[in-house]
Amino acid sequence: MKNVDCVVIGAGVAGMTASIYLKRAGVDVLMLDQGVPGGQINRTSMIENYPGFKQIDGPTLALNMFDQTNALDIPYQYGTVESIENLGNEKIVHTDLEQIRAKAIIIASGRKPRELGLPNENSLVGHGISYCAYCDGMLYKDQDVVVVGGGNSALEEALYLADICKTVYLVHRRNTYRADDIFVQKIKKHPKIIEKLNTEVKEIREKEEKVSEISLTNGEVLSVTGVFIYIGQLPETSFIKDLCTLNDGYLVVNNHLETNIPGIYACGDVIKKDLYQISTAVGEGAIAASNIIKYLK
Ligand code: NAP
């Protein structure tokens, strides 16, 4: 069985930051992820509120951070964590591929997109349904698409898609957005974005196994080829729910970012907090790492 000082679960912004701080302090750290490094920022087309970059797209920022971990020779391993066994001063991380023994753990597993829950939603992913405008937007060049949601992600990605697509319908269940004013003002002025407020997607219709139109609860039918779903995210805590305290699915941590289990810390979007931002995830990664360094001593 592999032995390390600290396993960082999740190679998103928080996990990569924590790994950089740990490695630079001489801690034997291993990063684990079930996807590509960067996590949720890989779904973000343009970031304009992360200091140091007036504008940077999510995947480029993720790659920059990953390059930094590579330069420090921080091992990055693929694997889905299934459970964590707490043996007191040691923990065993069980993945689908192996078991890893560690003195401490940082959980930075982030969140995954929330689904609408419509019957054909999953079967149409890749055939008109997407959770990533930046990845799939170009497939809908000069076509009519829908963005569902009223938060910062939905508005930001609607603006991104409006540069590529013919028409972007923005469907939101209320008549006010849960987003920064700068995005709301741009949406209201954009000639290619048509707001559909106070309504929800009732049905996604398909033709030859591809999205062809959607019907709304207000009775309207929109003829579209793409549906981009940005209705929030859910924390990735299924592997830890039997061990750590959760609130609404999110990990509960103290001021040191330690969970209820000594030696298990958490940071980034997976924790219960007020503000979910790249800048807060970075700060928490650094704080969790500095507390682990003290814990290991
Ligand atoms: P969010 O802020 O939770 O917004 C989710 C949106 O989806 C809300 O408007 C919500 O409607 C709607 N919604 C939820 N469930 C729905 C359902 N079943 N059917 C229809 N609509 C539904 O999620 P997010 O936009 O992904 O953002 C997540 C976090 O990241 C936020 O804290 C956000 O500020 C942050 N973020 C920041 C930036 C930035 O600073 N540039 C960019 C992206 C994300 P209601 O409003 O009615 O609840």
Side-chain angles (χ1 to χ4, degrees), residues 49 150-153 156 172-174 178 231-233 276-277:
N49 58 359
N152 274 323
S153 300
E156 198 167 28
H172 177 40
R173 64 185 178 184
R174 292 186 299 126
R178 189 187 289 280
I231 59 166
Q233 295 150 43
Y276 293 87
Q277 292 280 310

Side-chain angles (χ1 to χ4, degrees), residues 14 41 51 137 155 183 198 259 284 291:
I41 61 167
L155 271 63
F183 291 137
N198 281 323
T259 66
E284 290 149 14
N291 286 315

Side-chain angles (χ1 to χ4, degrees), residues 30-90:
L30 168 71
M31 275 195 305
L32 267 181
D33 204 301
Q34 60 183 1
V36 292
Q40 289 288 311
I41 61 167
N42 286 311
R43 294 174 67 225
T44 305
S45 51
M46 202 50 77
I47 296 156
E48 294 180 343
N49 58 359
Y50 185 57
F53 300 93
K54 260 189 226 155
Q55 277 199 331
I56 186 165
D57 64 89
T60 301
L61 184 58
L63 195 60
N64 287 352
M65 290 188 188
F66 189 54
D67 277 350
Q68 203 170 343
T69 69
N70 280 331
L72 287 165
D73 285 330
I74 297 170
Y76 164 78
Q77 226 170 276
Y78 180 81
T80 300
V81 177
E82 291 174 340
S83 63
I84 294 173
E85 199 179 333
N86 181 24
L87 305 176
N89 288 339
E90 286 188 334

